[in-house]
Amino acid sequence: KQTNISCQKIYLTPVENLDEVIITDYLTQGIRIEDDLAIQIKPSQMGSLPGLVQPDAFHSLQYVPGILSATESIAEINTRGGTHDQNLILWNGVRMYQTGHFFGMISALNSFAPNEIKVYKNGSPAKYNEGLSSVMDVETFSDFNAKSSSTIHANLLGTSLATSQQINDKWKID
């Protein structure tokens, strides 16, 4: 007597290793995510984002998931549901307490002056021991061997100037 017994089919497929994908530009040129999950912004290389008439590094932070401003200004940035005073904002290693003026239309920092901005919105390194919600580390000094450069920006709301001039082998004005 024959009985129909169904067997379970097992398919063997070869293991396939995928190549590593590295995202060089995050949101636009000049914004990238580093290995330690810091968002690095280089304003000199930054492109424009929709809704911005100029490449502004501080206003561009509002496009990063988890960072928002209820008033649409840089005066109050909220990260991961925290309040603005829970952000640690450093300018060349010095803590800034007043980061926005005149309802965010006039910034305390010239957005074309920074050389590099690092934003940590999740976990930050131990050297930034006071950031509860996020850490924004703004560095305006460039490499000493860099070429001299100047940037002038003007629109209907304001004018700004950023310069970096090397005087000799030992002195430089930023």
Side-chain angles (χ1 to χ4, degrees), residues 50-158:
L52 295 179
V53 295
Q54 62 192 16
D56 189 344
F58 296 111
H59 282 286
S60 299
L61 287 176
Q62 297 176 25
Y63 287 91
V64 175
I67 298 177
L68 68 100
S69 175
T71 60
E72 295 289 326
S73 68
I74 195 63
E76 292 186 17
I77 290 182
N78 304 331
T79 305
R80 299 277 184 213
T83 60
H84 177 67
D85 59 348
Q86 292 175 336
N87 298 326
L88 174 62
I89 301 176
L90 299 173
W91 177 52
N92 294 328
V94 178
R95 183 181 181 129
M96 289 190 64
Y97 291 98
Q98 187 65 25
T99 57
H101 299 284
F102 194 58
F103 305 105
M105 291 191 67
I106 301 172
S107 178
L109 290 171
N110 181 354
S111 60
F112 293 98
N115 184 40
E116 179 181 84
I117 301 169
K118 284 191 178 183
V119 178
Y120 296 91
K121 64 176 185 168
N122 290 330
S124 59
K127 70 178 184 176
Y128 307 114
N129 60 357
E130 296 180 27
L132 300 174
S133 186
S134 71
V135 175
M136 297 175 199
D137 190 3
V138 180
E139 292 289 331
T140 57
F141 298 121
S142 59
D143 296 333
F144 190 77
N145 296 327
K147 296 179 182 178
S148 298
S149 65
S150 295
T151 303
I152 298 174
H153 178 263
N155 62 19
L156 294 175
L157 294 176

